[in-house]
Short mmCIF file of all heavy atoms in Angstrom, two decimals:
data_model
loop_
_atom_site.label_atom_id
_atom_site.label_comp_id
_atom_site.label_asym_id
_atom_site.label_seq_id
_atom_site.Cartn_x
_atom_site.Cartn_y
_atom_site.Cartn_z
N LEU W 8 85.36 94.92 112.34
CA LEU W 8 84.40 96.01 112.62
C LEU W 8 83.61 96.37 111.37
O LEU W 8 84.16 96.46 110.26
CB LEU W 8 85.16 97.24 113.15
CG LEU W 8 85.85 97.14 114.49
CD1 LEU W 8 86.73 98.34 114.72
CD2 LEU W 8 84.81 97.02 115.61
N LEU W 9 82.34 96.59 111.58
CA LEU W 9 81.44 97.02 110.49
C LEU W 9 81.80 98.47 110.14
O LEU W 9 81.75 99.35 110.99
CB LEU W 9 80.00 96.92 110.91
CG LEU W 9 78.96 97.48 109.93
CD1 LEU W 9 78.98 96.75 108.63
CD2 LEU W 9 77.56 97.38 110.56
N GLN W 10 82.16 98.72 108.88
CA GLN W 10 82.50 100.07 108.41
C GLN W 10 81.28 100.80 107.84
O GLN W 10 81.06 101.98 108.13
CB GLN W 10 83.63 100.02 107.38
CG GLN W 10 84.92 99.34 107.85
CD GLN W 10 85.58 100.11 108.98
OE1 GLN W 10 85.85 101.31 108.82
NE2 GLN W 10 85.87 99.46 110.08
N GLN W 11 80.55 100.10 107.00
CA GLN W 11 79.39 100.71 106.35
C GLN W 11 78.54 99.61 105.70
O GLN W 11 79.10 98.64 105.19
CB GLN W 11 79.80 101.75 105.31
CG GLN W 11 78.62 102.54 104.73
CD GLN W 11 79.10 103.61 103.75
OE1 GLN W 11 80.25 103.89 103.65
NE2 GLN W 11 78.16 104.23 103.07
N VAL W 12 77.24 99.72 105.78
CA VAL W 12 76.36 98.84 105.03
C VAL W 12 75.37 99.73 104.27
O VAL W 12 74.78 100.62 104.83
CB VAL W 12 75.67 97.82 105.96
CG1 VAL W 12 74.83 98.52 107.05
CG2 VAL W 12 74.78 96.90 105.13
N ASP W 13 75.29 99.49 102.97
CA ASP W 13 74.46 100.37 102.11
C ASP W 13 74.27 99.66 100.77
O ASP W 13 74.82 98.59 100.52
CB ASP W 13 75.18 101.69 101.90
CG ASP W 13 74.22 102.84 101.58
OD1 ASP W 13 73.08 102.58 101.12
OD2 ASP W 13 74.60 104.00 101.80
N THR W 14 73.46 100.28 99.92
CA THR W 14 73.36 99.75 98.55
C THR W 14 74.68 99.96 97.83
O THR W 14 75.52 100.79 98.27
CB THR W 14 72.26 100.54 97.80
OG1 THR W 14 72.67 101.92 97.69
CG2 THR W 14 70.92 100.44 98.49
N PRO W 15 74.92 99.21 96.76
CA PRO W 15 76.21 99.42 96.05
C PRO W 15 76.43 100.90 95.63
O PRO W 15 77.52 101.43 95.82
CB PRO W 15 76.07 98.51 94.82
CG PRO W 15 75.17 97.39 95.29
CD PRO W 15 74.20 98.04 96.24
N LEU W 16 75.37 101.50 95.12
CA LEU W 16 75.51 102.91 94.67
C LEU W 16 75.72 103.83 95.88
O LEU W 16 76.47 104.78 95.79
CB LEU W 16 74.28 103.33 93.89
CG LEU W 16 74.38 104.67 93.16
CD1 LEU W 16 75.54 104.71 92.19
CD2 LEU W 16 73.03 105.04 92.45
N GLY W 17 75.07 103.52 97.01
CA GLY W 17 75.28 104.34 98.20
C GLY W 17 76.67 104.29 98.70
O GLY W 17 77.23 105.32 99.10
N LEU W 18 77.30 103.13 98.69
CA LEU W 18 78.70 102.96 99.07
C LEU W 18 79.58 103.74 98.15
O LEU W 18 80.56 104.39 98.59
CB LEU W 18 79.10 101.51 99.04
CG LEU W 18 78.62 100.59 100.17
CD1 LEU W 18 79.09 99.19 99.89
CD2 LEU W 18 79.11 101.06 101.51
N TYR W 19 79.30 103.69 96.88
CA TYR W 19 80.13 104.34 95.91
C TYR W 19 80.03 105.87 95.96
O TYR W 19 81.05 106.59 95.86
CB TYR W 19 79.72 103.86 94.49
CG TYR W 19 80.72 104.16 93.38
CD1 TYR W 19 81.84 103.37 93.18
CD2 TYR W 19 80.54 105.27 92.55
CE1 TYR W 19 82.74 103.66 92.17
CE2 TYR W 19 81.44 105.55 91.55
CZ TYR W 19 82.55 104.74 91.37
OH TYR W 19 83.45 105.02 90.38
N ASP W 20 78.81 106.35 96.14
CA ASP W 20 78.59 107.80 96.08
C ASP W 20 78.89 108.49 97.38
O ASP W 20 79.26 109.66 97.43
CB ASP W 20 77.10 108.12 95.67
CG ASP W 20 76.93 107.89 94.19
OD1 ASP W 20 77.88 107.82 93.42
OD2 ASP W 20 75.73 107.82 93.74
N ARG W 21 78.62 107.79 98.51
CA ARG W 21 78.81 108.43 99.83
C ARG W 21 79.53 107.50 100.82
O ARG W 21 78.89 107.05 101.81
CB ARG W 21 77.44 108.86 100.39
CG ARG W 21 76.87 110.06 99.70
CD ARG W 21 75.71 110.67 100.50
NE ARG W 21 76.19 111.21 101.78
CZ ARG W 21 76.72 112.40 101.96
NH1 ARG W 21 76.97 113.21 100.94
NH2 ARG W 21 77.07 112.83 103.18
N PRO W 22 80.79 107.16 100.58
CA PRO W 22 81.55 106.36 101.51
C PRO W 22 81.68 107.08 102.84
O PRO W 22 81.93 108.29 102.87
CB PRO W 22 82.89 106.17 100.82
CG PRO W 22 83.00 107.33 99.87
CD PRO W 22 81.60 107.63 99.43
N GLN W 23 81.45 106.36 103.96
CA GLN W 23 81.43 107.00 105.25
C GLN W 23 82.80 107.29 105.88
O GLN W 23 82.91 107.97 106.85
CB GLN W 23 80.56 106.19 106.21
CG GLN W 23 79.09 106.20 105.89
CD GLN W 23 78.57 107.62 105.87
OE1 GLN W 23 78.63 108.37 106.87
NE2 GLN W 23 78.01 108.06 104.72
N ASN W 24 83.82 106.62 105.33
CA ASN W 24 85.17 106.86 105.85
C ASN W 24 86.18 106.59 104.76
O ASN W 24 85.83 106.12 103.66
CB ASN W 24 85.43 106.03 107.13
CG ASN W 24 85.24 104.55 106.88
OD1 ASN W 24 85.71 103.99 105.87
ND2 ASN W 24 84.59 103.87 107.82
N VAL W 25 87.45 106.87 105.07
CA VAL W 25 88.50 106.77 104.09
C VAL W 25 88.69 105.31 103.63
O VAL W 25 88.97 105.05 102.47
CB VAL W 25 89.84 107.31 104.67
CG1 VAL W 25 91.00 106.99 103.77
CG2 VAL W 25 89.72 108.80 104.91
N PHE W 26 88.54 104.36 104.57
CA PHE W 26 88.72 102.95 104.18
C PHE W 26 87.71 102.54 103.12
O PHE W 26 88.09 101.95 102.10
CB PHE W 26 88.63 102.02 105.44
CG PHE W 26 88.66 100.59 105.04
CD1 PHE W 26 89.83 99.98 104.73
CD2 PHE W 26 87.51 99.84 104.95
CE1 PHE W 26 89.92 98.64 104.34
CE2 PHE W 26 87.54 98.51 104.55
CZ PHE W 26 88.78 97.91 104.26
N VAL W 27 86.44 102.81 103.36
CA VAL W 27 85.40 102.42 102.37
C VAL W 27 85.64 103.12 101.06
O VAL W 27 85.53 102.56 100.00
CB VAL W 27 84.01 102.75 102.94
CG1 VAL W 27 82.96 102.45 101.87
CG2 VAL W 27 83.73 101.96 104.19
N ALA W 28 86.02 104.42 101.12
CA ALA W 28 86.29 105.18 99.91
C ALA W 28 87.40 104.54 99.08
O ALA W 28 87.28 104.45 97.85
CB ALA W 28 86.65 106.63 100.28
N GLY W 29 88.45 104.09 99.75
CA GLY W 29 89.56 103.50 99.01
C GLY W 29 89.30 102.05 98.58
O GLY W 29 89.87 101.59 97.62
N PHE W 30 88.45 101.35 99.34
CA PHE W 30 88.21 99.94 99.03
C PHE W 30 87.19 99.74 97.91
O PHE W 30 87.31 98.84 97.10
CB PHE W 30 87.72 99.21 100.29
CG PHE W 30 87.64 97.73 100.14
CD1 PHE W 30 88.77 96.93 100.27
CD2 PHE W 30 86.42 97.10 99.87
CE1 PHE W 30 88.72 95.57 100.05
CE2 PHE W 30 86.34 95.74 99.69
CZ PHE W 30 87.51 94.99 99.80
N ILE W 31 86.16 100.60 97.89
CA ILE W 31 85.10 100.44 96.91
C ILE W 31 85.43 101.25 95.65
O ILE W 31 85.67 102.48 95.75
CB ILE W 31 83.73 100.88 97.49
CG1 ILE W 31 83.34 99.95 98.64
CG2 ILE W 31 82.66 100.87 96.42
CD1 ILE W 31 83.12 98.52 98.30
N GLY W 32 85.39 100.61 94.53
CA GLY W 32 85.67 101.27 93.25
C GLY W 32 86.87 100.69 92.58
O GLY W 32 87.87 100.40 93.23
N SER W 33 86.83 100.56 91.27
CA SER W 33 87.95 100.03 90.48
C SER W 33 88.00 100.77 89.17
O SER W 33 87.04 100.73 88.38
CB SER W 33 87.78 98.51 90.27
OG SER W 33 88.84 98.02 89.56
N PRO W 34 89.13 101.45 88.90
CA PRO W 34 90.28 101.72 89.77
C PRO W 34 89.89 102.46 91.05
O PRO W 34 88.81 103.05 91.12
CB PRO W 34 91.22 102.55 88.89
CG PRO W 34 90.75 102.36 87.50
CD PRO W 34 89.28 102.12 87.58
N ALA W 35 90.81 102.41 91.98
CA ALA W 35 90.52 102.99 93.31
C ALA W 35 90.38 104.50 93.25
O ALA W 35 90.91 105.15 92.34
CB ALA W 35 91.61 102.61 94.27
N MET W 36 89.69 105.03 94.24
CA MET W 36 89.54 106.46 94.38
C MET W 36 90.92 107.10 94.66
O MET W 36 91.76 106.51 95.32
CB MET W 36 88.61 106.82 95.55
CG MET W 36 88.42 108.30 95.79
SD MET W 36 87.42 108.71 97.28
CE MET W 36 85.80 108.19 96.78
N ASN W 37 91.17 108.28 94.11
CA ASN W 37 92.35 109.08 94.45
C ASN W 37 92.14 109.65 95.87
O ASN W 37 91.14 110.32 96.09
CB ASN W 37 92.55 110.23 93.46
CG ASN W 37 92.70 109.72 92.03
OD1 ASN W 37 93.70 109.11 91.67
ND2 ASN W 37 91.70 109.96 91.19
N ILE W 38 93.05 109.39 96.76
CA ILE W 38 92.92 109.95 98.12
C ILE W 38 94.24 110.50 98.55
O ILE W 38 95.29 109.84 98.43
CB ILE W 38 92.49 108.82 99.11
CG1 ILE W 38 91.11 108.25 98.71
CG2 ILE W 38 92.39 109.37 100.54
CD1 ILE W 38 90.68 107.07 99.54
N GLY W 39 94.25 111.72 99.09
CA GLY W 39 95.46 112.34 99.55
C GLY W 39 95.15 113.33 100.70
O GLY W 39 94.00 113.76 100.84
N THR W 40 96.14 113.65 101.46
CA THR W 40 96.02 114.60 102.54
C THR W 40 96.67 115.94 102.14
O THR W 40 97.89 115.92 101.75
CB THR W 40 96.62 114.07 103.87
OG1 THR W 40 95.90 112.90 104.23
CG2 THR W 40 96.54 115.08 104.95
N PHE W 41 95.95 117.00 102.20
CA PHE W 41 96.42 118.31 101.68
C PHE W 41 96.25 119.41 102.70
O PHE W 41 95.30 119.37 103.48
CB PHE W 41 95.73 118.66 100.37
CG PHE W 41 95.80 117.58 99.32
CD1 PHE W 41 94.74 116.69 99.14
CD2 PHE W 41 96.96 117.45 98.54
CE1 PHE W 41 94.84 115.68 98.18
CE2 PHE W 41 97.03 116.48 97.58
CZ PHE W 41 95.99 115.58 97.39
N LYS W 42 97.10 120.39 102.69
CA LYS W 42 97.00 121.53 103.60
C LYS W 42 95.83 122.42 103.16
O LYS W 42 95.52 122.54 101.98
CB LYS W 42 98.26 122.37 103.55
CG LYS W 42 99.39 121.77 104.42
CD LYS W 42 100.51 122.74 104.55
CE LYS W 42 101.55 122.24 105.58
NZ LYS W 42 102.67 123.21 105.78
N ILE W 43 95.16 123.01 104.17
CA ILE W 43 94.11 123.99 103.92
C ILE W 43 94.70 125.42 104.16
O ILE W 43 95.20 125.70 105.24
CB ILE W 43 92.93 123.80 104.86
CG1 ILE W 43 92.32 122.41 104.66
CG2 ILE W 43 91.85 124.86 104.64
CD1 ILE W 43 91.23 122.06 105.66
#
């Protein structure tokens, strides 16, 4: 499934979902689930 198509900077700055956020970038983005 296509997750997102964008410029490299667009993917990096505005990932459209958690998968893209965690996949793009080295080292990886810090991602966690927290209570509000």
Side-chain angles (χ1 to χ4, degrees):
L8 294 169
L9 174 63
Q10 302 294 307
Q11 187 177 350
V12 58
D13 205 339
T14 63
L16 190 59
L18 286 177
Y19 194 82
D20 284 345
R21 288 195 63 83
Q23 290 303 301
N24 57 45
V25 171
F26 175 78
V27 175
F30 188 80
I31 297 296
S33 181
M36 180 186 287
N37 302 290
I38 299 175
T40 299
F41 305 97
K42 280 191 173 182
I43 300 175

